[in-house]
């Protein structure tokens, strides 16, 4: 491509105001999917595997959303995997051993109480971490490294190493599976709501820019960005609705609902999984907190220049504590998804999840130097990491080799982050 054409293409791309790093990550994800599909004999790009991939990504994506704010504030949390395991064990014991003594099995409030207890414990752990970091001045690296060991030991101590199972039926739906999906009809309802939200947010953002006198994107750029987002929603819906329930399960459900099974058999689509919807909801809420609230602005200001932020009157210690409390709550939500998916609370639960969560945030564009990061990028980074792991499993690679690949990816992601930041600084200086 000639230089004038490259400049023209660059101008068109800048007009869309799409994050170049996000586009690069999407391109890498596509290459990973195609490469793994070819190497696995076409086993990767199937509705079944992609549906399972989305469910497996959900818990890491939830924690990655919180890790963005932790890293943006110039901290780190190495304890998220252990917190997930400990909180998951607490929720497992609460619903499988404690509550049935008083409410009986399968009481409709069991899953609600178990989830509330888990969130409270997660928030308390985050409060403890944040208070030590903010008020005692202990570096977050040390505090959460200690937490990694402490909470993993506490998870074992709760049951002396026993696995707790099974979980409450209603609670299990949060982990996906046959009963943890919303079906084809409701999936289309969600898709229509998502398309309406894309259209509304595009028009609202354009109207706000006009009101405050900011430069407007070209109309074609607005349409192109919204159109691509809409196509992505439709693609996700088509994949989710292409994965049917097993024939015997479909026949059982038909019998329970009084439906007649046709001679050619019955096809009932899974639709979107509940853990995926939970992860998307968490992403929307955390994005709103980061971009539309005073708390979010304080977090980014703290990461950009802690001294100036404190001198401007912001209670930086309180902001730090709240960041870790939010991380603890999200660990609890991720623990609920993971425990429900496994239908058990185990001592190995959440092992090495801290590696995947941090890698997802960094791959998604969150700078380890603080002050820069997006929740959407981190959740997409979680999908990249889970795609690598799932693809390596399909290719039959041993676990040690999988860990080597993940470690190398993390190192390369940090190197690319430093390279990007240095080029950005040089560009702004020039």
């Amino acid at each position: 491509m000639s230089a004038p054409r490259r400049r023209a293409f660059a101008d068109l791309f800048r007009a869309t105001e799409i994050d170049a790093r996000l586009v690069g990550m999407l391109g890498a994800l596509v290459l990973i999917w195609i490469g793994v599909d070819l190497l696995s004999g076409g086993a990767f790009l199937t509705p079944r595997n992609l549906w399972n991939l989305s469910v497996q990504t959900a818990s890491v994506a939830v924690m990655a959303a919180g890790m963005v704010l932790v890293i943006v504030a110039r901290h780190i949390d190495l304890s998220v995997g252990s917190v997930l395991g400990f909180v998951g064990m607490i929720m497992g014991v609460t619903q499988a051993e404690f509550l049935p003594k008083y409410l009986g099995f399968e009481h409709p409030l069991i899953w609600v109480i178990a989830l509330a207890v888990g969130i409270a414990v997660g928030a308390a752990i985050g409060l403890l971490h944040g208070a030590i970091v903010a008020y005692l001045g202990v570096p977050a690296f040390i505090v959460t490294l200690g937490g990694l060991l402490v909470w993993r030991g506490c998870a074992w101590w709760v049951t002396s190493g026993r696995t707790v199972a099974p979980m409450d039926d209603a609670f299990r739906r949060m982990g996906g599976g046959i009963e943890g999906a919303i079906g084809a009809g409701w999936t289309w309802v969600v898709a229509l709501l998502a398309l309406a939200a894309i259209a509304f947010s595009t028009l609202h953002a354009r109207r706000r820019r006009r009101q405050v006198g900011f430069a407007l994107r070209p109309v074609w750029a607005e349409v192109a960005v919204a159109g691509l987002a809409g196509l992505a929603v439709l693609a996700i819906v088509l994949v989710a609705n292409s994965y049917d329930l097993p024939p015997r399960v479909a026949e059982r459900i038909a019998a329970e609902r009084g439906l007649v099974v046709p001679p050619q058999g019955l096809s009932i689509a899974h639709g979107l999984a509940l853990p995926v919807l939970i992860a998307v909801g968490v992403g929307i809420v955390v994005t709103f907190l980061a971009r539309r609230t005073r708390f979010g602005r304080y977090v980014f200001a703290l990461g950009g220049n802690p001294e100036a932020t404190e001198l401007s009157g912001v209670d930086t210690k309180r902001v730090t504590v709240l960041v870790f409390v939010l991380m603890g709550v999200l660990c609890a939500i991720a623990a609920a998804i993971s425990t429900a998916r496994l239908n058990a609370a185990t001592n190995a639960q959440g092992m090495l999840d801290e590696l995947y969560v941090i890698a997802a945030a960094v791959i998604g564009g969150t700078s380890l130097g603080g002050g820069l990061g997006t929740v959407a990028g981190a959740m997409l980074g979680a999908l990249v990491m889970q795609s690598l792991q799932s693809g390596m499993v399909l290719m039959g690679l041993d676990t040690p080799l999988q860990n080597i690949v993940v470690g190398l990816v993390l190192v390369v992601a940090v190197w690319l982050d430093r390279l990007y930041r240095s080029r950005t600084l040089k560009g702004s200086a020039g």
Side-chain angles (χ1 to χ4, degrees):
M1 185 182 294
S2 63
R5 289 185 178 180
R6 284 199 301 270
R7 285 195 296 270
F9 179 78
D11 291 339
L12 289 175
F13 184 79
R14 279 194 295 270
T16 63
E17 299 181 8
I18 300 176
D19 188 354
R21 301 180 73 175
L22 191 63
V23 174
M25 189 163 42
L26 284 170
L29 181 63
V30 171
L31 291 177
I32 290 171
W33 282 11
I34 294 175
V36 172
D37 189 63
L38 293 174
L39 293 173
S40 62
F44 189 85
L45 292 178
T46 62
R48 176 182 179 180
N49 187 66
L50 292 177
W51 193 89
N52 288 327
L53 177 65
S54 68
V55 173
Q56 294 163 2
T57 304
S59 62
V60 174
V62 167
M63 291 189 290
M67 188 63 73
V68 169
L69 297 185
V70 173
I71 297 178
V72 163
R74 296 194 180 188
H75 297 294
I76 198 73
D77 194 338
L78 302 176
S79 67
V80 291
S82 297
V83 173
L84 182 151
F86 174 62
V87 174
M89 188 64 73
I90 292 293
M91 287 191 289
V93 170
T94 299
Q95 64 186 288
E97 298 181 1
F98 181 75
L99 290 178
K101 297 178 182 178
Y102 304 96
L103 301 178
F105 288 99
E106 302 303 332
H107 190 279
L109 289 179
I110 283 182
W111 75 272
V112 177
I113 297 173
L115 182 61
V117 168
I119 290 176
V121 172
I125 292 173
L127 178 63
L128 176 62
H129 288 174
I132 295 174
V133 172
Y135 294 102
L136 298 184
V138 183
F141 181 90
I142 300 300
V143 173
T144 57
L145 179 61
L148 182 150
L149 301 173
V150 169
W151 304 119
R152 182 62 62 187
C154 288
W156 186 93
W157 178 73
V158 169
T159 60
S160 299
R162 286 188 298 110
T163 294
V164 178
M167 299 294 103
D168 178 73
D169 283 347
F171 184 86
R172 272 207 312 271
R173 293 182 184 135
M174 287 189 289
I178 293 173
E179 296 181 353
I182 62 175
W186 282 108
T187 297
W188 279 113
V189 171
V190 172
L192 292 176
L193 292 174
L195 293 174
I198 291 170
F200 172 79
S201 62
T202 301
L203 295 174
H204 179 69
R206 190 173 181 85
R207 184 166 57 249
R208 287 290 302 273
R209 283 187 169 211
R210 184 181 290 111
Q211 289 174 349
V212 297
F214 287 175
L216 298 177
R217 285 194 294 189
V219 175
W220 66 264
E222 299 276 15
V223 174
V225 173
L228 289 173
L231 288 176
V233 170
L234 293 177
I236 292 170
V237 170
L238 290 175
V239 170
N241 286 345
S242 297
Y243 180 32
D244 293 333
L245 295 175
R248 291 184 178 178
V249 175
E251 291 174 2
R252 175 175 60 81
I253 293 176
E256 293 174 354
R257 298 177 180 177
L259 302 176
V260 178
V261 179
Q264 68 272 20
L266 186 65
S267 296
I268 300 178
H270 278 78
L272 290 172
L274 285 178
V276 175
L277 294 176
I278 293 172
V280 171
V282 166
I284 293 172
V285 170
V286 178
T287 298
F288 177 81
L289 289 175
R291 299 179 61 181
R292 301 293 182 185
T293 66
R294 184 178 299 175
F295 165 71
R297 290 193 292 271
Y298 287 168
V299 171
F300 278 85
L302 177 61
N305 193 326
E307 293 79 11
T309 304
E310 188 169 5
L311 290 173
S312 65
V314 175
D315 188 349
T316 56
K317 291 183 174 60
R318 180 173 177 272
V319 172
T320 298
V321 171
L322 289 177
V323 166
F324 279 97
V325 169
L326 177 62
M327 187 72 252
V329 170
L330 295 182
C331 284
I333 295 173
I337 294 173
S338 176
T339 305
R341 184 166 65 88
L342 295 173
N343 192 26
T346 70
N347 285 278
Q349 198 171 340
M351 194 75 73
L352 293 181
D353 271 10
E354 55 277 349
L355 172 64
Y356 286 93
V357 172
I358 294 171
V362 175
I363 290 173
T366 303
S367 173
L368 290 174
L372 181 66
T374 63
V375 174
M379 299 185 85
L380 186 57
L383 181 59
V384 170
M385 295 301 299
Q386 192 61 50
S387 297
L388 281 172
Q389 186 184 37
S390 177
M392 289 186 289
V393 170
L394 287 177
M395 290 187 292
L397 299 184
D398 294 332
T399 300
L401 186 55
Q402 295 178 29
N403 293 336
I404 290 172
V405 172
V406 172
L408 291 174
V409 169
L410 179 57
V411 173
V412 171
V414 174
W415 172 69
L416 291 175
D417 170 65
R418 291 181 62 87
L419 186 64
Y420 177 81
R421 283 177 65 87
S422 63
R423 288 188 176 182
T424 303
L425 290 174
K426 287 179 181 179
S428 60

